[in-house]
Amino acid sequence: MIEFIDVAYEYRTAGGSVPALRGVSTTLAPGELVTVLGPNGSGKSTLARLANGLLHPSEGRVVVDTIDSTDAARVWDVRSRVGLVFQNPDNQIVATTVEEDVAFGPENLGVERESMHQRVRNALATVGLSGLEQREPHTLSGGQKQRLAIAGALALAPAYLVLDEPTAMLDLQGRADVIDVLGRLRDAGTGIMHITHHLADAAAADRVLVLTGGSVVYDGVPATLLADTRLMQRCGLTLPPVGRLAEELRAAGVDVPPDALTAESVVAAL
Amino acid sequence: MSLTLAGVRHTYAAGTAFATDALAGVDLSFEPGELVLVLGATGSGKSTLLRVAAGLLTPLSGSVEIDGRSVDGPLAVVEPGVGFVFQSPEMQLFAETVEADVRFGPLNQGLTEDEAHHRATRALEAVGLGAEEFGSRSPFTLSGGEARRAAIAGVLAMDPGYLLLDEPTAGLDVEGREAVREIVARSRRRAGVVVVTHDAEEFLGSADRVILLCAGRVTFDGPADELVQSPERFAEAGLKAPEMLLAQMLARDAGLKLARLSLDPAEAALLIARAREGAR
């Protein structure tokens, strides 16, 4: 379990300090998919960087499987448990073939050759890139590149995966592919924290965490949030068009559940 | 009057083992006063198309003309012909104040300080950043959405006849996206506007015309509503249709006789309700 215990974080600049998070307490359990939403500047990315000890809290504690993230002797223990994937896959791809790129992490940790091949194969299979081992990464589509970046993190066999807007550069199909991979990883027992601007991504989550101005304004199941229009407004969230269609249909007497945010789930209610 | 691309082909790293075809023969024309949305999967040639149209990239073959003048090389950008808003343009803000940043373009076009100041003031108003409140602030104190709008103002201040934008809403929150959508829609009053995006839902409702690109070719070029009524064209271009349209396609597949498809949730719900009545 990753525990954030009353966490505050301030960025120090020449002109003073800028608070990014305050009083944040939340958790991420193995096998749980948590979607993190909130406007620009609400502290989402800071939360991601705190999760694996890339940043240390100004106040409070971040604890990963009972290890304090500031414990200097166990930095690598924390980082190998929590994988981090960023927005732009082009900044995270290092090798000249898909296979070498995924192998880069385990190789650097000194993983044995045979078990490394196994890890690379498994990671590529999980993200649906089997068969592309010898391709040059720059010839992949955006969605494939982002799944390659995820495979690179998976090859380190992290217990938790934190993704900071991994679909921002992708088209709708690429986005759907990545969401699908996240669901499968969760089912296999990985704890997933998915930071996104797309409310529609919340429908697939076990829990939704909403940040505004560095504080948690909602932490709970998606259905409760989505059914509460005023809370949504307070969180600066608006339903995607298909969610508004569901709302209109409900008003017309059709029994559509509040967390129906995909075409399939809306039409299933008709 | 138009921005015209004729027989444009381009291959990156041509003649090497890494050759990648980006545009495979594109004929397109953009008119002043229209908002054209260009959609395509990643790698379909969208960004290459914009760079060629702006004169930033000389294609291997084919021609680009602005209002009858041939575009040859990057000078087109400095001349008021074509303005280009790059992806994440706020990364390029550099001056000490917002106003100075926006004034930079017109000054480099050879306008006087007074004229440039006037242009900057108007451009800032156009993006909803009043010069009084924002003009003297450092660009680095702006929020993500405000910085994006300031960067767009920098291009508008050069008064381009055609405005090209690459993923103008990517990475912004709800409020920021809505503000940029409005600015882009309004800009067609002063320029021909071409928007490239991978999120069809962002501009499909406000665009006059939509172009679908697939593997460097145009597979659809027509009024936005024509595409809305035939959403199977998305899949043909390797794209996922917006969820709103997918829902209505699925409803049709399930036997509901919808009179038409709509992007407006209220109208779509009404049409679905009517179709269900009819089915009873």
Side-chain angles (χ1 to χ4, degrees):
Chain A
M1 172 110 83
I2 304 182
E3 297 162 89
F4 294 81
I5 305 162
D6 205 15
V7 168
Y9 187 82
E10 296 181 339
Y11 285 97
R12 303 235 158 78
T13 67
S17 61
V18 185
L21 287 177
R22 52 188 168 201
V24 172
S25 294
T26 187
T27 56
L28 176 66
E32 186 182 38
L33 174 53
V34 176
T35 298
V36 182
L37 296 164
N40 291 119
S42 59
K44 304 189 299 294
S45 297
T46 305
L47 189 73
R49 282 155 181 75
L50 285 162
N52 84 336
L54 209 54
L55 296 177
H56 290 166
S58 312
E59 284 169 38
R61 295 173 68 208
V62 177
V63 180
V64 179
D65 293 341
T66 73
I67 311 166
D68 192 295
S69 73
T70 58
D71 185 342
R74 304 193 68 183
V75 168
W76 295 109
D77 227 1
V78 169
R79 297 222 175 131
S80 64
R81 276 164 214 260
V82 187
L84 209 48
V85 176
F86 296 101
Q87 187 180 102
N88 187 344
D90 286 327
N91 297 343
Q92 301 167 69
I93 292 171
V94 294
T96 51
T97 69
V98 164
E99 190 174 42
E100 284 170 24
D101 192 77
V102 179
F104 181 80
E107 250 175 355
N108 277 290
L109 288 184
V111 171
E112 227 179 294
R113 208 170 167 69
E114 205 27 58
S115 107
M116 188 180 74
H117 280 304
Q118 189 61 41
R119 281 194 187 196
V120 170
R121 266 198 304 276
N122 288 347
L124 286 173
T126 306
V127 302
L129 291 180
S130 296
L132 301 182
E133 287 80 0
Q134 299 310 319
R135 282 275 290 274
E136 294 169 39
H138 74 90
T139 67
L140 300 177
S141 74
Q144 287 170 332
K145 280 185 197 169
Q146 192 54 279
R147 281 183 284 149
L148 174 58
I150 295 173
L154 289 181
L156 297 169
Y160 310 93
L161 195 58
V162 177
L163 305 102
D164 192 359
E165 294 193 49
T167 63
M169 319 283 278
L170 306 185
D171 57 41
L172 291 174
Q173 188 59 54
R175 240 171 79 191
D177 291 344
V178 169
I179 299 296
D180 185 49
V181 166
L182 298 188
R184 273 186 286 132
L185 286 172
R186 180 257 318 266
D187 296 343
T190 310
I192 312 266
M193 180 179 276
H194 176 204
I195 295 171
T196 175
H197 274 311
H198 295 281
L199 183 61
D201 296 344
D206 300 306
R207 242 172 65 220
V208 184
L209 183 75
V210 186
L211 291 173
T212 58
S215 301
V216 175
V217 283
Y218 182 80
D219 187 353
V221 295
T224 311
L225 171 68
L226 296 168
D228 190 338
T229 320
R230 286 174 62 188
L231 178 63
M232 293 261 294
Q233 267 173 1
R234 206 141 40 82
C235 296
L237 299 170
T238 51
L239 283 172
V242 76
R244 297 214 303 278
L245 173 63
E247 214 173 44
E248 294 283 352
L249 287 170
R250 260 196 302 282
V254 185
D255 189 19
V256 191
D259 56 353
L261 288 181
T262 61
E264 290 80 10
S265 54
V266 171
V267 174
L270 290 176
Chain B
M1 296 284 277
S2 65
L3 171 58
T4 309
L5 284 75
V8 171
R9 291 174 174 276
H10 192 70
T11 304
Y12 288 105
T16 75
F18 304 107
T20 316
D21 288 326
L23 293 176
V26 167
D27 298 284
L28 283 173
S29 175
F30 304 109
E31 320 289 331
E34 69 172 357
L35 172 56
V36 183
L37 173 60
V38 181
L39 297 171
T42 34
S44 59
K46 304 189 297 289
S47 296
T48 306
L49 177 74
L50 275 199
R51 302 180 85 83
V52 168
L56 290 173
L57 179 69
T58 306
L60 281 189
S61 63
S63 66
V64 182
E65 285 188 359
I66 300 175
D67 302 340
R69 281 180 308 125
S70 172
V71 171
D72 200 5
L75 270 181
V77 183
V78 178
E79 287 177 29
V82 177
F84 196 154
V85 178
F86 291 88
Q87 278 187 32
S88 308
E90 61 279 9
M91 310 279 273
Q92 297 163 57
L93 297 173
F94 67 97
E96 293 203 353
T97 69
V98 169
E99 201 268 342
D101 207 291
V102 176
R103 191 161 29 113
F104 181 80
L107 276 180
N108 277 281
Q109 289 176 311
L111 298 189
T112 64
E113 284 282 349
D114 273 0
E115 286 166 335
H117 174 73
H118 179 66
R119 285 269 194 95
T121 307
R122 266 188 30 205
L124 283 170
E125 299 290 345
V127 299
L129 299 176
E132 291 259 306
E133 187 187 345
F134 289 93
S136 58
R137 278 175 59 178
S138 160
F140 304 105
T141 64
L142 302 178
S143 75
E146 289 164 355
R148 180 76 51 93
R149 281 144 67 194
I152 295 174
V155 176
L156 290 178
M158 293 191 280
D159 217 359
Y162 301 89
L163 179 65
L164 314 181
L165 304 103
D166 197 358
E167 304 280 1
T169 57
L172 296 184
D173 56 21
V174 172
E175 205 181 315
R177 287 208 300 268
E178 194 171 308
V180 169
R181 270 202 304 271
E182 264 177 39
I183 292 162
V184 170
R186 248 185 290 134
S187 297
R188 81 186 109 181
R189 281 191 223 138
R190 50 202 282 175
V193 183
V194 183
V195 182
V196 159
T197 158
H198 55 231
D199 196 342
E201 266 175 350
E202 288 283 317
F203 290 96
L204 200 51
S206 53
D208 301 305
R209 198 175 126 207
V210 184
I211 289 162
L212 295 186
L213 270 185
C214 180
R217 286 173 206 282
V218 175
T219 63
F220 178 90
D221 181 358
D225 192 57
E226 193 181 316
L227 179 61
V228 169
Q229 299 312 322
S230 41
E232 64 282 357
R233 305 299 296 262
F234 281 100
E236 286 169 23
L239 286 169
K240 192 167 178 268
E243 289 289 320
M244 260 307 280
L245 296 180
L246 278 180
Q248 294 167 78
M249 288 167 86
L250 286 175
R252 269 188 178 164
D253 291 347
L256 284 183
K257 292 193 170 52
L258 301 180
R260 60 189 301 274
L261 305 190
S262 172
L263 287 173
D264 175 42
E267 189 190 9
L270 191 69
L271 290 165
I272 290 173
R274 271 195 206 139
R276 293 178 93 212
E277 288 291 315
R280 273 193 202 124

